[in-house]
Amino acid sequence: MTEPTDLTELTAVRLVEGFRKGEFSPVEATRAVLERAERIQPEVNAFVRLLADEALARARESADRWRRGEPRGPVDGVPVTVKDILLLRGHPTLRGSKSIAEEGSWDEDAPSVARLREQGAVFVGKTTTPEFGWKGVTDSPLSGTTRNPYDISRTAGGSSGGSAAAVALGAGPLSLGTDGGGSVRIPAAFCGIFALKPTYGRVPLYPASAFGTLSHVGPMTRDAADAAVLLDVISAPDARDWSALGPAGVSFSDALAGGVRGLRVAYSPCLGGQVAVAPAVAAAVRGAVEGLAGLGAYVEERDPDFTDPVDAFHTLWFTGAARVAQRLGPRQRQSMDPGLREICATGARRSALDYLAAVDVRMELGRRMGRFHESYDLLVTPTLPITAFEAGVEVPNGSGYRRWTGWTPFTYPFNMTQQPAATVPVGADGAGLPVGMQIVAARHRDDLVLRAAHALYEAGFTASLRSAGS
């Protein structure tokens, strides 16, 4: 007698296969996910809102479609979570802030949410974020602290920390996150899942982010195959985003099968000595790089030609934060995260010339990376130089860092260049905390990033870590 299937352990691809074969239904999958979400919430705090009644109603509608053999698309009936930065029709989007009132019609979906709704996905909840997604960990005055699935004394990372924790713990195989400086890749690396920051504009975004063209919407999933399915759905154009790209012209799911044989891969273990990487992180990433070589990629240890652009990134990021706070009154500002108040004040002091100087740095960085990818199809690095640290703080205690950017030097440069960048779980440190490897490609080559990641999953070079909470 076979053991009953734990539906919370299945990928979206496997769930849809089960729906098609009649092995189980969207209602069963949704109930299992909601039960898991309710169980993990008291300790991990991944959600700001669970939508049980609405989710089950949508799941029943999906089950009827599957019985008729008329699913709407490749995610019909699949449980999905949405970061509480993105609009979800009928529910408040408070962005981790006490400054936003719950009252209102809330009558629009963000573009990515709208595409999922059209395809029959089941929305089970909104996930936690730091206030306005401003930092690389997930805690806020409104929602409290989100904790790591592998050790609840540690951070889940951020700013899409709730989404990462939810996926890692089986509370839905698909999640929508946002990434302005690493915000899907950071928590995915800390929580042992896959995440992709697509090429800027590949996924339409509305309302426009105050952080401008640094901000991307990206899939957070169990593996690269699920991310490809999700990207196929959410990358459809939307007229509300004037900066969105046109149709992809390729199925990301179909592009997975190419493998890495013959691809030219540059491996940069520490950005030319600019980053101190923890030994356990360096070892896990090197092992995965050797895996790429074993699969037929041409791997060379080579650093991209740039110095840390953190000062320019700070100007772009802090002025964006100042713009967020500009509409708030004194009482609302007082309710904000103290760190966010600090960077808003700093950003408000930057001039238009300061901003344009930062744009110049960004453009030069983009030029350098464009030339780099004439020689290399992919760049691989650690996603982060460390594993998850103590929860409730912006930087590791005793690190000497002032802001979250101090410990994320591998992520934010590729928001500035708008390149696709993913994180793949490739191992763990001595405490059992996940390690991620970052895969970067030239703009518009999201397919290559997904292809390489999928090859690692297929060959068993990724880490299938399971947390104590699962």
Side-chain angles (χ1 to χ4, degrees), residues 80 180 228 283 301 433:
V80 178
E301 192 163 318
L433 296 167

Side-chain angles (χ1 to χ4, degrees), residues 7 10-20 24-34 54-66 70-81 115-124 172-174 229 233:
L7 299 181
L10 302 185
T11 64
V13 169
R14 178 67 183 90
L15 283 175
V16 168
E17 179 187 355
F19 300 158
R20 183 177 295 111
F24 39 77
S25 76
V27 175
E28 292 171 298
T30 299
R31 282 198 180 113
V33 164
L34 286 167
E54 179 180 318
L56 288 168
R58 286 185 61 82
R60 285 189 285 270
E61 293 169 358
S62 175
D64 288 341
R65 290 192 293 272
W66 281 106
E70 299 174 353
R72 290 181 178 173
V75 294
D76 199 337
V78 177
V80 178
T81 59
R115 302 295 84 78
L116 285 166
R117 190 183 296 279
E118 292 161 2
Q119 298 261 346
V122 174
F123 301 113
V124 298
L174 305 179
V229 170
V233 173

Side-chain angles (χ1 to χ4, degrees), residues 81-83 86 112-113 116 163 174-178 217-218 230 234:
T81 59
V82 179
K83 182 181 181 180
L86 298 169
S112 51
V113 174
L116 285 166
S163 289
L174 305 179
S175 194
L176 294 177
T178 62
V217 177
L230 184 50
I234 64 176

Side-chain angles (χ1 to χ4, degrees), residues 284-308:
V285 172
R286 186 173 289 277
V289 170
E290 291 169 356
L292 287 171
L295 293 171
Y298 297 114
V299 178
E300 178 183 349
E301 192 163 318
R302 173 74 186 275
D303 300 307
D305 179 26
F306 66 78
T307 55
D308 187 356

Side-chain angles (χ1 to χ4, degrees), residues 326-359:
Q326 191 175 36
R327 62 177 176 78
L328 303 180
R331 182 173 297 179
Q332 290 172 308
R333 287 172 181 256
Q334 194 56 38
S335 74
M336 288 167 53
D337 182 325
L340 178 55
R341 284 203 308 271
E342 280 186 29
I343 71 163
C344 288
T346 301
R349 293 192 293 270
R350 302 283 166 93
S351 69
L353 289 176
D354 293 332
Y355 185 89
L356 290 173
V359 170

Side-chain angles (χ1 to χ4, degrees), residues 220 248 278 323 428 462:
M220 305 181 72
R323 178 62 176 155
T462 57

Side-chain angles (χ1 to χ4, degrees), residues 145-341:
T145 299
T146 300
R147 298 176 179 276
N148 193 287
Y150 295 85
D151 180 346
I152 61 172
S153 72
R154 297 175 186 256
T155 181
S159 63
S160 306
S163 289
V167 172
L169 287 167
L174 305 179
S175 194
L176 294 177
T178 62
D179 189 314
S183 288
V184 299
R185 290 161 290 155
I186 295 164
F190 276 179
C191 293
I193 67 165
F194 181 83
L196 170 70
K197 178 190 75 65
T199 300
Y200 178 79
R202 182 74 278 145
V203 180
L205 177 61
Y206 171 86
S209 171
F211 298 107
T213 57
L214 293 173
S215 293
H216 306 54
V217 177
M220 305 181 72
T221 60
R222 282 306 216 357
D223 61 19
D226 271 10
V229 170
L230 184 50
L231 189 60
D232 279 335
V233 173
I234 64 176
S235 62
D238 191 289
R240 294 172 292 175
D241 183 354
W242 65 270
S243 66
L245 300 174
V250 63
S251 164
F252 295 107
S253 294
D254 290 348
L256 290 174
V260 297
R261 183 167 299 280
L263 291 183
R264 302 162 299 168
V265 178
Y267 165 45
S268 178
C270 56
L271 294 181
Q274 296 181 78
V275 184
V277 177
V281 171
V285 172
R286 186 173 289 277
V289 170
E290 291 169 356
L292 287 171
L295 293 171
Y298 297 114
V299 178
E300 178 183 349
E301 192 163 318
R302 173 74 186 275
D303 300 307
D305 179 26
F306 66 78
T307 55
D308 187 356
V310 67
D311 291 338
F313 179 79
H314 280 169
T315 294
L316 299 170
W317 194 251
F318 295 174
T319 52
R323 178 62 176 155
V324 169
Q326 191 175 36
R327 62 177 176 78
L328 303 180
R331 182 173 297 179
Q332 290 172 308
R333 287 172 181 256
Q334 194 56 38
S335 74
M336 288 167 53
D337 182 325
L340 178 55
R341 284 203 308 271

Side-chain angles (χ1 to χ4, degrees), residues 306-452:
F306 66 78
T307 55
D308 187 356
V310 67
D311 291 338
F313 179 79
H314 280 169
T315 294
L316 299 170
W317 194 251
F318 295 174
T319 52
R323 178 62 176 155
V324 169
Q326 191 175 36
R327 62 177 176 78
L328 303 180
R331 182 173 297 179
Q332 290 172 308
R333 287 172 181 256
Q334 194 56 38
S335 74
M336 288 167 53
D337 182 325
L340 178 55
R341 284 203 308 271
E342 280 186 29
I343 71 163
C344 288
T346 301
R349 293 192 293 270
R350 302 283 166 93
S351 69
L353 289 176
D354 293 332
Y355 185 89
L356 290 173
V359 170
D360 286 344
V361 171
R362 183 181 191 181
M363 293 174 71
E364 173 61 14
L365 181 61
R367 183 194 69 81
R368 288 172 182 263
M369 288 308 303
R371 296 300 300 270
F372 184 83
H373 284 290
E374 290 180 332
S375 300
Y376 297 97
D377 300 300
L378 298 171
L379 167 67
V380 296
T381 74
T383 306
L384 297 164
I386 57 175
T387 53
F389 52 89
E390 55 272 28
V393 293
E394 183 185 346
V395 301
N397 288 327
S399 66
Y401 299 131
R402 180 76 185 97
R403 296 262 78 103
W404 61 273
T405 44
W407 52 271
T408 61
F410 293 108
T411 59
Y412 55 78
F414 304 109
N415 292 80
M416 297 177 75
T417 61
Q418 304 186 339
Q419 293 172 247
T423 183
V424 181
V426 293
D429 68 6
L433 296 167
V435 171
M437 181 178 78
Q438 181 173 234
I439 304 174
V440 183
R443 292 175 73 243
H444 312 296
R445 293 314 310 264
D446 307 72
D447 59 317
L448 279 186
V449 174
L450 287 164
R451 211 171 99 192

